Amino acid sequence: MKYRVLNSYTSKRSLPRNLIDKDFNLFSHELSREIKSTHYLIEKNVTVAKTFIVKFFPMKIFTKYVYFYRPKLIKIIKDFIKNIIFIQKSEKERIDITPLWITDNKTSVYFHFLCDALGRYFLLENDTKEKNITVIIPKKYEIGWIVEILNYLKINFLVLEETKSYQFKKIYIPNYPAPSGNFHKENILKIREAFIKALPENLYSSSPIRKVWVSRSKARRPVKNYIEIKNFLIDRGFEIVNLEDLSSADKIKLMSETKILAGLHGSGLTNVLFMNKHTYLLDIRDPEDNIKNAFFSLASEVEVNYYYFERENIEDYIISKSKLENAINQIEEMINNEK
């Protein structure tokens, strides 16, 4: 059965505070987006194996709920055959719980876990508490930081072993609250509020002053002129932080104290979600990219001022010191005018 949740919503985004005319086309198509109402399924007599869900009678697979984007038909067929063979051979287990499915093949990415997977959870947050529903996590997503977040939010969950298939009398399968990279305000604010509410009392600051640069020292492709940029940032009072090294509590506390969050476009900027209103995000974008507007959209939803400029070329991660300096000067001038 399909149950509709969330009313439709029109997301209206504020233009970047430092927009230049030639870049208008990067954002113009994202200034307003209709977010449709969404839904969840309640299905009976379902088998779950690894990251695969199937109902045998009548036969039904749940492609749009387990893949981030719908893959080609040939992959769907191959995955179906592989998983059916696995289910036939696997150890089968019946567990007397009512499970909730929230993952897909992008769940191991921080942005997608926070905004998409947890977005699906918070569609049904009240039901999960009232009906003792348990989030089920495939073993491949039993990653340290995911487990830490689930524990931090006190979300009841069960990790599914890779060697077993599981049979459930009933399962809840939510759709996404919005197309990925877009946000239904009611849903994304629920996620924000849950993280902040879980923080020990009095640790969330309402007087942010810190300047934080999101480090890419552990990234696959770090900034090529990092030493030059690092020295400049330190001179300008920035702290260079590996956010992935912080616990959820430490991360939320830091974001509450942050006036300017800056860095290359990447998952670390997702943490703008936890900043105070009217603070500042500096997103260093890929050149001429009018697709990756998630942080532009997210900043608008949480009422954070969005600034940007582009790194120097597609192949190498090089940041122009002069562009960085100009953007920071613009932000700090705006901050000074607030006083």
Side-chain angles (χ1 to χ4, degrees):
M1 292 287 291
K2 182 183 288 189
Y3 298 85
R4 183 168 293 182
V5 286
L6 287 182
N7 294 323
S8 60
Y9 165 66
T10 302
S11 176
K12 295 185 180 295
R13 289 78 181 257
S14 303
L15 284 169
R17 299 301 296 266
N18 64 334
L19 180 67
I20 55 178
D21 290 344
K22 76 175 185 66
D23 292 339
F24 183 71
N25 68 303
L26 301 180
F27 305 98
S28 58
H29 58 296
E30 296 286 5
L31 295 181
S32 180
R33 177 65 70 92
E34 293 295 324
I35 309 297
K36 296 179 180 179
S37 62
T38 190
H39 67 270
Y40 65 92
L41 307 178
I42 300 178
E43 297 286 345
K44 295 182 178 180
N45 301 318
V46 166
T47 297
V48 176
K50 300 181 181 179
T51 60
F52 180 73
I53 309 173
V54 61
K55 182 174 182 176
F56 287 106
F57 304 106
M59 176 62 72
K60 184 176 181 181
I61 59 175
F62 300 86
T63 304
K64 68 179 289 185
Y65 302 94
V66 300
Y67 293 102
F68 180 69
Y69 289 126
R70 183 180 177 87
K72 292 180 179 179
L73 180 60
I74 186 64
K75 176 171 175 54
I76 294 173
I77 294 170
K78 285 181 178 179
D79 286 353
F80 174 79
I81 294 170
K82 179 179 68 176
N83 282 294
I84 294 300
I85 292 171
F86 171 79
I87 289 169
Q88 290 175 338
K89 294 181 177 180
S90 68
E91 177 186 350
K92 296 168 181 61
E93 184 167 349
R94 288 185 179 272
I95 303 178
D96 189 20
I97 63 170
T98 302
L100 172 65
W101 180 271
I102 65 171
T103 58
D104 62 31
N105 56 316
K106 285 281 192 176
T107 292
S108 61
V109 178
Y110 182 73
F111 171 85
H112 292 292
F113 180 74
L114 254 66
C115 299
D116 298 331
L118 288 182
R120 296 168 81 177
Y121 170 80
F122 280 100
L123 287 178
L124 289 167
E125 179 197 15
N126 293 333
D127 280 348
T128 60
K129 292 175 180 176
E130 292 172 8
K131 300 176 183 177
N132 197 29
I133 295 173
T134 301
V135 171
I136 52 174
I137 301 292
K139 183 70 174 179
K140 70 179 295 184
Y141 300 127
E142 190 187 18
I143 303 167
W145 60 267
I146 289 179
V147 171
E148 191 272 337
I149 288 173
L150 293 170
N151 286 327
Y152 174 78
L153 295 176
K154 295 182 171 57
I155 293 174
N156 188 31
F157 70 97
L158 172 72
V159 176
L160 305 181
E161 297 298 327
E162 288 194 325
T163 57
K164 298 179 180 179
S165 60
Y166 295 83
Q167 297 171 326
F168 298 107
K169 291 181 181 178
K170 182 168 72 171
I171 186 172
Y172 286 70
I173 309 174
N175 196 13
Y176 298 90
S180 190
N182 296 274
F183 309 92
H184 192 295
K185 192 167 190 127
E186 179 182 335
N187 182 261
I188 199 68
L189 291 184
K190 272 190 176 182
I191 299 171
R192 168 188 163 83
E193 289 161 9
F195 274 90
I196 293 172
K197 185 178 179 181
L199 193 67
E201 191 175 0
N202 299 325
L203 289 184
Y204 191 87
S205 173
S206 59
S207 302
I209 58 172
R210 296 167 76 171
K211 307 175 195 175
V212 172
W213 176 268
V214 179
S215 172
R216 283 182 61 89
S217 63
K218 297 184 178 182
R220 182 172 57 87
R221 297 182 67 183
V223 177
K224 198 168 184 179
N225 60 331
Y226 175 66
I227 299 300
E228 174 191 26
I229 295 303
K230 176 183 176 182
N231 291 335
F232 168 76
L233 289 166
I234 291 171
D235 287 344
R236 295 298 296 261
F238 276 80
E239 306 167 58
I240 299 171
V241 180
N242 284 307
L243 292 174
E244 61 264 49
D245 292 340
L246 301 182
S247 68
S248 292
D250 288 340
K251 201 175 294 179
I252 307 309
K253 181 176 182 294
L254 174 62
M255 289 299 101
S256 77
E257 298 168 349
T258 298
K259 190 73 171 180
I260 306 172
L261 180 67
L264 276 170
H265 189 95
S267 279
L269 298 188
T270 311
N271 294 291
V272 68
L273 177 60
F274 309 120
M275 295 173 70
N276 279 277
K277 290 182 180 181
H278 313 307
T279 50
Y280 296 83
L281 174 66
L282 175 55
D283 178 14
I284 302 172
R285 300 165 60 98
D286 295 347
E288 299 181 5
D289 181 3
N290 68 348
I291 302 298
K292 298 174 186 173
N293 276 313
F295 301 129
F296 162 65
S297 303
L298 181 56
S300 285
E301 298 295 359
V302 296
E303 298 179 47
V304 168
N305 296 299
Y306 179 85
Y307 284 71
Y308 76 100
F309 66 88
E310 297 175 340
R311 59 184 174 85
E312 292 308 288
N313 56 59
I314 292 292
E315 291 76 22
D316 294 316
Y317 281 67
I318 297 174
I319 297 173
S320 164
K321 180 184 169 184
S322 62
K323 288 182 182 177
L324 178 60
E325 183 174 20
N326 183 56
I328 291 172
N329 286 343
Q330 288 177 307
I331 293 172
E332 293 189 338
E333 181 180 356
M334 184 69 70
I335 293 171
N336 289 332
N337 290 338
E338 295 173 358
K339 297 176 180 177

